[in-house]
Amino acid sequence: MSEFKVKTGLAQMLKGGVIMDVVTPEQAIIAERAGACAVMALERIPADMRKSGQVCRMSDPRMIKEIMEAVSIPVMAKVRIGHFVEAQILEELQVDYIDESEVLTPADWTHHIEKHNFKVPFVCGAKDLGEALRRINEGAAMIRTKGEAGTGDVSEAVKHITKIKAEIQQYKENLKTESDFAAKATELRVPVDLLKTTLSEGKLPVVNFAAGGVATPADAALLMQLGCEGVFVGSGIFKSSDPEKLACAIVEATTHYDNPAKLLQISSDLGDLMGGISIQSINEAGGKNGARLSEIGW
Amino acid sequence: MTGEDFKIKSGLAQMLKGGVIMDVVTPEQAKIAEKSGACAVMALESIPADMRKSGKVCRMSDPKMIKDIMNSVSIPVMAKVRIGHFVEAQIIEALEVDYIDESEVLTPADWTHHIEKDKFKVPFVCGAKDLGEALRRINEGAAMIRTKGEAGTGDVSEAVKHIRRITEEIKACQQLKSEDDIAKVAEEMRVPVSLLKDVLEKGKLPVVNFAAGGVATPADAALLMQLGCDGVFVGSGIFKSSNPVRLATAVVEATTHFDNPSKLLEVSSDLGELMGGVSIESISHASNGVRLSEIGW
């Protein structure tokens, strides 16, 4: 468990920061210069993956390596849900964090990776408290919302962080006896101790970041005000007309998330933002625009 | 089944253990596979990714084409026949291929009966997505089992599901206490009690069990090996990639060194464009054809 403390402690260092998806060393340098606390090295950004309908896998380690060499901030990379060999490979590459991500095509529809078996810290997505605690119980050192990556629609991320907070509040009030706790822990499929710690602290035992659909400084500040401890930005930045400016603005907004005057200043004159695709239209298209990513993982 | 024959046939299949079997459609591809270290090749007229798209009836390949491939390499050559089409199997046996795959990738010729494989001298490989299916095939004489992952998709998750399920079912059945319980499960699975007992005693199938369907990267091959497969079939993945020679070698290396992360990192780097594929989820929604793992029983 002490190793788990080291890993969650590492993730604590990202608190208040912005992690940006990048597909080239050039983009990684822009992200670093804009003040990103880490970058996520990808072959393609989620907005393009969604469109393709193809199988999405771990990126070429050579490409990740080039990004690692281009910047001095931590580099994260994604593996498929349950693909523990992709994780072994990225650990060997010495990336700083691994994201076991629903954005890629799952390799196992029943088992997530046993993350306690690794030295490298993992981040995982969660849309409710049970999912967050199951991932933490498997060894995740960091949680993020499972907003709809590649859409530029912030509403799912908002839903997930609100839900987790509401559940913590509700269980805190309603669970009284030992048997209440035990029953809820069984229902959520997590150890009762983990549930108790979470409820007594009133928050998850690891950092919880916003991810999926964040496209503007106002989106980032919204999620921070809702209780997120940092922000992942994917397609939003490099699908906009002035990535450098937008990247800086989102970093500023995440830092000064409760300062409206500052938010007004940095939200002005950002050029064309990511067009995106609304979540409603994904639902209406009945799968034609790809499935809902937040439905993947359990 | 005649015990001696089965021993010889399943022993032959044991020799492929730890190896990679590659789908090839031309003698040139077969040579690439051999040079990359494949332990056998599967001779096909078109690879599963293209068959899926065509929506046509898929049958045994032209024996002349299989013969050309047999003449071009010295490693064992396998060929596919339709489920239940024992005459295709007779023809392929007469051609003297090394193994026959009674395959759900082709259009089934009989939706009730699989081929009585113990009537043949040539060893058969068959797909199975759970323990019952594996034991039924072995009982019919299959000398080798493989998962029934979704061929032609490049999505490894079905193959993962099948190998995990077989392993879990063996474990669960090992908890059975009484003779009666075992007899009941055997009846449910429609297999002889003695076969089931043998499996439970050894904790594994009495024949080799390979991974097949959706394997597209060295990491996929190593994943399935770590999950307990004895070797790997690679289909569309290799020759749908931008650099087949390099990928073929990498998959062979990854299958050999499946639990060595530094080796896996080395062989996974700089492989070029991999097979794009089609995710299994999108098959469920769309017009990309039916799920192959639903074929066969």
Side-chain angles (χ1 to χ4, degrees), chain B residues 42-56:
Chain B
M42 177 74 71
L44 290 165
E45 251 157 15
S46 62
I47 55 176
D50 296 329
M51 290 186 197
R52 280 197 97 100
K53 274 189 213 145
S54 76
K56 291 183 197 163

Side-chain angles (χ1 to χ4, degrees), chain B residues 248-276:
Chain B
T249 313
V251 171
V252 170
E253 291 270 292
T255 305
T256 310
H257 305 286
F258 66 87
D259 54 2
N260 177 346
S262 76
K263 189 75 188 174
L264 294 176
L265 169 60
E266 182 195 319
V267 301
S268 297
S269 297
D270 202 18
L271 291 173
E273 240 353 89
L274 297 172
M275 176 191 186

Side-chain angles (χ1 to χ4, degrees), chain B residues 60-233:
Chain B
M60 170 187 83
S61 299
D62 185 333
K64 191 187 119 132
M65 174 260 158
I66 299 171
K67 189 88 199 164
D68 288 344
I69 287 176
M70 290 167 68
N71 288 337
S72 68
V73 293
S74 60
I75 52 177
V77 174
M78 304 185 169
K80 287 184 195 291
V81 301
R82 284 177 268 177
I83 290 179
H85 208 311
F86 52 85
V87 173
E88 283 189 350
Q90 289 163 5
I91 293 169
I92 300 283
E93 182 171 54
L95 185 66
E96 298 183 325
V97 301
D98 300 284
Y99 299 82
I100 293 178
D101 184 359
E102 185 182 17
S103 177
E104 70 282 359
V105 171
L106 305 183
T107 313
D110 189 329
W111 286 90
T112 343
H113 301 84
H114 281 251
I115 297 172
E116 284 299 332
K117 290 166 277 286
D118 46 14
K119 294 200 173 129
F120 290 80
K121 289 243 179 272
V122 58
F124 277 76
V125 52
C126 287
K129 58 182 180 304
D130 55 39
L131 183 60
E133 197 171 353
L135 295 184
R136 286 192 290 281
R137 296 296 89 76
I138 293 167
N139 193 41
E140 290 156 2
M144 178 174 182
I145 294 293
R146 56 170 174 74
T147 62
K148 280 167 86 179
E150 290 293 309
T153 61
D155 185 335
V156 79
S157 65
E158 280 289 303
V160 166
K161 197 205 281 178
H162 303 163
I163 184 68
R164 273 196 187 274
R165 189 181 293 156
I166 290 179
T167 311
E168 278 158 20
E169 283 180 310
I170 292 177
K171 266 201 200 122
C173 289
Q174 279 175 329
Q175 305 305 313
L176 296 176
K177 298 274 182 297
S178 69
E179 291 283 315
D180 275 2
D181 290 342
I182 296 179
K184 206 185 285 167
V185 172
E187 200 186 327
E188 257 168 44
M189 291 180 171
R190 287 172 279 140
V191 296
V193 181
S194 58
L195 178 57
L196 179 60
K197 273 187 167 168
D198 182 46
V199 169
L200 300 186
E201 226 164 76
K202 293 192 178 117
K204 61 194 287 293
L205 297 179
V207 302
V208 289
N209 190 5
F210 270 49
V215 177
T217 69
D220 290 346
L223 176 70
L224 288 156
M225 292 298 286
Q226 286 193 31
L227 287 172
C229 289
D230 296 311
V232 177
F233 283 85

Side-chain angles (χ1 to χ4, degrees), chain A residues 193-215:
Chain A
D193 284 348
L194 179 57
L195 178 62
K196 277 186 175 167
T197 322
T198 304
L199 298 187
S200 73
E201 284 172 13
K203 63 189 288 294
L204 297 179
V206 304
V207 290
N208 190 3
F209 271 47
V214 177

